[in-house]
Amino acid sequence: MAGKRKLADNPDQKERRWSSRVQELRQKKVDEKARIARERLKLLSDKNSKLCVDDTESHAEEDEAMLVSPERSSPLTLTKTEKGKTKLDFYADENDAHLKVKKNLRFFNTQYLLMVQAKLSRPDLKGVMRANAILYSRKRIGDLPGIDVGHRFFSRAEMVAVGFHRHWLNGIDSMGIEYKREYSDYQFPLAVSIIMSGQYEDDLDNAEVVTYTGQGGNKLTGSKRQVKDQELVRGNLALKNNLEHKVPVRVTRGHQCQTSYSKKVYTYDGLYQVIKYWAEKGVSGFTVYKYQLKRLEGQPELTTNQVNFVGGRIPKSTSEIQGLVCEDISKGLASKPIPATNRVDDPPVPPSGFTYIDSLKIGPNVKIPRSSTGCNCRGSCTDPNKCACARLNGGNFPYVDLNNGRLIEPRDVVFECGPSCGCGPECVNRTSQKRLKFQLEVFRSPKKGWAVRSWDFIPAGSPVCEYIGVLRRTDDVDTLSDNDYIFEIDCQQTMQGLDGRQRRLRDVAVPTDIKVSQSNEDENVPEFCIDAGPTGNVARFINHSCEPNLFVQCVLSSHQDIRLARVVLFAADNIPPLQELTYDYGYTLDSVHGPDGKVKQLTCYCGAIKCRKRLY
Ligand SMILES: [Zn+2]
Ligand SMILES: [Zn+2]
Ligand SMILES: [Zn+2]
């Protein structure tokens, strides 16, 4: 989704300013865009779509018909704009292994949350993942493309989902005789992957050289003690074959991690060679097989032998925070203090030039529509068949009641419960209205100015923060000077697939107040925006990335005017602590023009493998 009109907060880039201003867009492209818009609206008004029907009632049967598959919506999706590439081209690049892995894990997360919503058990998820694409469905020896040394998995299920380690419980994943064709010179079974997670009391873990205990004979749950002898079969035999054929094996370490929702984090540490094996009496007096493995040379250095995250250790108190320049930029307004750190500038300066606010302010000439009717539920909304708000979302709740509420997948718009609903503040359909849950930090980065990260693990689908500022008319903003913090509320444009914006599941009812006029040539331009320049919250410090870990979600809670939707940033992935939080500002390249009418360009420093190299 597009929207943000903020530049990287980099002093060097300041004089280039933001822009893509509405004014230039109008001058330059009114005709072309109006034509595209008209075409789209024509497509949208065909019988498969209810978006442009000004029928204000919601019909349950029709909601179902509005579930549009990606294939069906594709004719409406613009993949190329006038010049250059849009972000859609990049995300459609199926050849990139990293993106494939990321997509696969996002798909898995969605399946997982759907399963939680349907109250299914884990074996059902197994079925779901088997039926759908496991990324690497054939096992293979060695690294898997897109999963680098240091890659973190947040559950065993994730490893199953991408085909990295195909067993849910066993520590050794091996290939059998059915792989004879691909690997004809070897004896089977052969191990492809092992997981070391303190499963066995005899494990010795020295990082570069490890001693691994074979499988079997131990209790899988509880004490994990050996209760009988191990045998040289299956995984144990496989590791012996690896030694004889000099076939390396992937080694992944599992660690306890209290902030992770599964309480575990698994780090891929690279390829290891089995260098010897032996049988011995273990601590409990039973025979166990032991394998010594040595890490292959020439691989990236080990980042962990315990859970340390990129960027260091998570501080436990303010006195431990290095480079602290402000204990709480929110001055007590946020539910948790938001410290700012600066280890870049000399002298280290705190963020300045803005006033922290925690809820949207309404600017001049903006009228908030009166509340929508809401639902008649009591306590918490649980029955999608009875809840009017669930119906607006296409017949089900967009959230699941897990880890304080998680959004199953991005939508055009999410209809939350609001002031007229009968339910209470704990209703799952109010997830984005709840107070900030994660411990955030604003930190100075060398190239991108201020940036934001979390000390807590953030599960995929969790709301991270709302984009807070002053709600203004886009027309009024043109007169403001040097403001890099404008977020244009373009939910309507996104829903209509205008201007190269990425469309989403069109599984929503018809917003009652949506204004669609075929003759209005400005419909391509959002009418309202959120100005977080002089006043705003932590969201104003979040940078752009071409491969972001957050996504923008439009949310309606107190009214149904899409032009004035709330803008909430959600976690797209499971985000480990201290990873910078980013979202895609969503510019179309070559769409930004200066006052002289020339195309403006701005270098992107996001560092993503598939960085577009330009912000616009
Ligand atoms: Zn509710
Ligand atoms: Zn309800
Ligand atoms: Zn409701």
Side-chain angles (χ1 to χ4, degrees):
M1 165 157 336
K4 188 61 188 297
R5 292 295 183 247
K6 167 194 181 296
L7 297 191
D9 187 18
N10 181 340
D12 300 334
Q13 296 170 349
K14 265 277 150 61
E15 81 278 4
R16 290 174 142 176
R17 286 193 55 210
W18 67 315
S19 83
S20 141
R21 283 309 333 139
V22 174
Q23 209 57 46
E24 293 101 52
L25 269 177
R26 279 179 189 149
Q27 287 164 359
K28 280 281 184 189
K29 293 183 185 157
V30 159
D31 293 343
E32 172 67 3
K33 293 204 173 179
R35 188 187 60 75
I36 295 173
R38 270 195 299 277
E39 263 172 33
R40 279 168 194 288
L41 287 167
K42 236 173 82 196
L43 283 165
L44 281 165
S45 347
D46 76 19
K47 63 180 187 309
N48 284 335
S49 166
K50 306 290 179 202
L51 272 178
C52 301
V53 181
D54 57 352
D55 174 6
T56 52
E57 280 176 41
S58 160
H59 306 289
E61 317 83 67
E62 286 177 2
D63 287 347
E64 232 184 339
M66 284 192 289
L67 286 164
V68 178
S69 72
E71 288 75 31
R72 275 172 66 198
S73 66
S74 60
L76 301 174
T77 309
L78 195 64
T79 51
K80 280 250 193 299
T81 49
E82 295 80 348
K83 272 186 225 161
K85 283 185 152 190
T86 70
K87 67 176 174 183
L88 292 183
D89 291 300
F90 286 88
Y91 285 107
D93 185 355
E94 291 292 335
N95 295 324
D96 186 84
H98 287 92
L99 281 184
K100 272 187 182 173
V101 169
K102 193 174 266 199
K103 265 187 178 173
N104 192 257
L105 288 173
R106 286 179 182 176
F107 172 78
F108 163 76
N109 275 316
T110 298
Q111 298 305 311
Y112 172 70
L113 294 176
L114 284 168
M115 184 200 78
V116 172
Q117 185 170 59
K119 298 191 171 61
L120 298 173
S121 60
R122 209 159 84 159
D124 288 301
L125 180 65
K126 232 162 150 180
V128 166
M129 291 314 293
R130 202 180 290 129
N132 290 282
I134 287 182
L135 184 58
Y136 296 108
S137 54
R138 290 291 283 176
K139 294 182 186 183
R140 57 172 104 174
I141 292 165
D143 287 321
L144 298 184
I147 303 170
D148 302 330
V149 170
H151 184 100
R152 287 207 169 78
F153 294 98
F154 298 98
S155 64
R156 290 287 294 263
E158 278 193 357
M159 283 185 259
V160 174
V162 292
F164 185 80
H165 188 99
R166 297 285 291 276
H167 283 291
W168 292 70
L169 289 171
N170 285 352
I172 306 171
D173 184 13
S174 56
M175 46 168 68
I177 195 76
E178 67 270 25
Y179 285 87
K180 191 80 194 164
R181 228 171 26 156
E182 286 110 304
Y183 299 98
S184 55
D185 297 338
Y186 302 126
Q187 228 172 344
F188 292 91
L190 270 179
V192 291
S193 162
I194 63 171
I195 296 173
M196 312 189 64
S197 53
Q199 180 93 29
Y200 293 86
E201 54 201 283
D202 294 338
D203 275 335
L204 215 70
D205 190 346
N206 292 321
E208 293 289 336
V209 178
V210 297
T211 303
Y212 184 75
T213 305
Q215 65 183 201
N218 71 311
K219 280 187 169 173
L220 283 174
T221 53
S223 68
K224 292 174 183 170
R225 292 178 70 84
Q226 286 299 130
V227 289
K228 59 179 182 180
D229 289 341
Q230 289 186 349
E231 294 172 65
L232 197 59
V233 292
R234 293 188 297 273
N236 297 349
L237 180 60
L239 283 173
K240 172 181 170 280
N241 287 336
N242 282 63
L243 168 67
E244 279 165 13
H245 292 280
K246 295 194 165 49
V247 171
V249 61
R250 297 190 291 270
V251 172
T252 303
R253 280 184 183 73
H255 304 283
Q256 298 295 328
C257 175
Q258 281 314 306
T259 49
S260 161
Y261 69 102
S262 67
K263 301 277 179 263
K264 281 262 188 167
V265 169
Y266 299 88
T267 309
Y268 175 45
D269 280 344
L271 294 173
Y272 282 66
Q273 198 85 57
V274 185
I275 50 176
K276 63 177 176 180
Y277 86 100
W278 66 96
E280 66 175 44
K281 292 280 179 219
V283 178
S284 314
F286 293 99
T287 301
V288 291
Y289 282 91
K290 299 271 182 163
Y291 301 85
Q292 195 169 63
L293 295 98
K294 191 174 184 306
R295 197 162 186 262
L296 294 188
E297 282 172 21
Q299 300 188 87
E301 246 176 79
L302 277 177
T303 49
T304 57
N305 49 12
Q306 51 175 312
V307 180
N308 269 346
F309 291 93
V310 181
R313 208 164 54 84
I314 301 157
K316 290 201 173 66
S317 66
T318 35
S319 60
E320 277 187 30
I321 308 173
Q322 294 191 324
L324 186 72
V325 285
C326 176
E327 281 193 26
D328 180 13
I329 61 160
S330 87
K331 299 201 164 63
L333 285 175
S335 50
K336 290 182 176 184
I338 303 170
T341 59
N342 189 342
R343 296 167 70 186
V344 173
D345 298 327
D346 188 20
V349 289
S352 60
F354 80 106
T355 307
Y356 202 96
I357 53 170
D358 207 32
S359 55
L360 273 180
K361 275 192 186 167
I362 312 301
N365 307 322
V366 179
K367 259 217 180 80
I368 296 296
R370 63 189 167 80
S371 306
S372 41
T373 332
C375 64
N376 299 320
C377 307
R378 289 276 163 260
S380 188
C381 296
T382 49
D383 186 349
N385 299 315
K386 290 188 182 138
C387 177
C389 297
R391 267 205 301 283
L392 286 171
N393 288 299
N396 217 331
F397 295 107
Y399 300 107
V400 289
D401 200 359
L402 186 71
N403 315 110
N404 295 319
R406 290 166 66 179
L407 182 66
I408 295 172
E409 59 194 317
R411 288 164 171 251
D412 277 343
V413 61
V414 162
F415 292 88
E416 286 196 349
C417 289
S420 315
C421 293
C423 60
E426 287 313 304
C427 171
V428 72
N429 201 34
R430 294 175 185 270
T431 291
S432 85
Q433 300 165 47
K434 293 170 190 173
R435 303 275 285 170
L436 182 78
K437 298 192 286 269
F438 305 108
Q439 175 61 63
L440 302 180
E441 173 199 349
V442 172
F443 69 101
R444 192 75 174 163
S445 73
K447 279 195 160 173
K448 299 187 289 183
W450 295 105
V452 180
R453 60 189 176 186
S454 163
W455 296 357
D456 296 317
F457 178 89
I458 305 178
S462 303
V464 173
C465 61
E466 183 170 347
Y467 197 91
I468 295 287
V470 182
L471 209 47
R472 294 188 193 281
R473 302 195 78 89
T474 349
D475 290 351
D476 297 346
V477 174
D478 280 341
T479 58
L480 296 178
S481 63
D482 202 21
N483 188 338
D484 292 345
Y485 301 96
I486 305 294
F487 196 114
E488 293 180 339
I489 307 173
D490 59 357
C491 309
Q492 184 182 335
Q493 287 73 20
T494 302
M495 286 172 82
Q496 295 172 359
L498 294 169
D499 200 19
R501 292 169 172 92
Q502 192 158 19
R503 297 210 56 255
R504 296 176 174 181
L505 276 181
R506 194 139 45 85
D507 53 357
V508 296
V510 187
T512 49
D513 298 336
I514 192 165
K515 270 195 183 171
V516 177
S517 150
Q518 305 217 2
S519 58
N520 180 6
E521 60 193 23
D522 289 346
E523 67 211 357
N524 205 11
V525 177
E527 234 177 298
F528 298 97
C529 64
I530 301 164
D531 174 6
T535 49
N537 72 342
V538 63
R540 74 197 286 285
F541 295 108
I542 300 178
N543 284 313
H544 162 87
S545 171
C546 299
E547 227 178 278
N549 51 16
L550 306 178
F551 62 87
V552 174
Q553 178 64 61
C554 292
V555 178
L556 290 170
S557 47
S558 62
H559 60 77
Q560 290 186 6
D561 190 338
I562 192 90
R563 298 166 306 157
L564 291 160
R566 293 165 57 226
V567 170
V568 183
L569 299 169
F570 280 80
D573 307 301
N574 289 315
I575 306 173
L578 302 182
Q579 186 179 88
E580 186 186 343
L581 303 176
T582 54
Y583 65 99
D584 191 337
Y585 285 6
Y587 291 100
T588 300
L589 293 189
D590 300 327
S591 71
V592 179
H593 298 80
D596 53 359
K598 282 192 185 137
V599 168
K600 293 186 79 176
Q601 301 192 355
L602 183 72
T603 307
C604 181
Y605 293 109
C606 77
I609 294 165
K610 280 294 201 172
C611 176
R612 301 194 280 272
K613 306 295 174 209
R614 282 167 53 193
L615 206 49
Y616 54 75

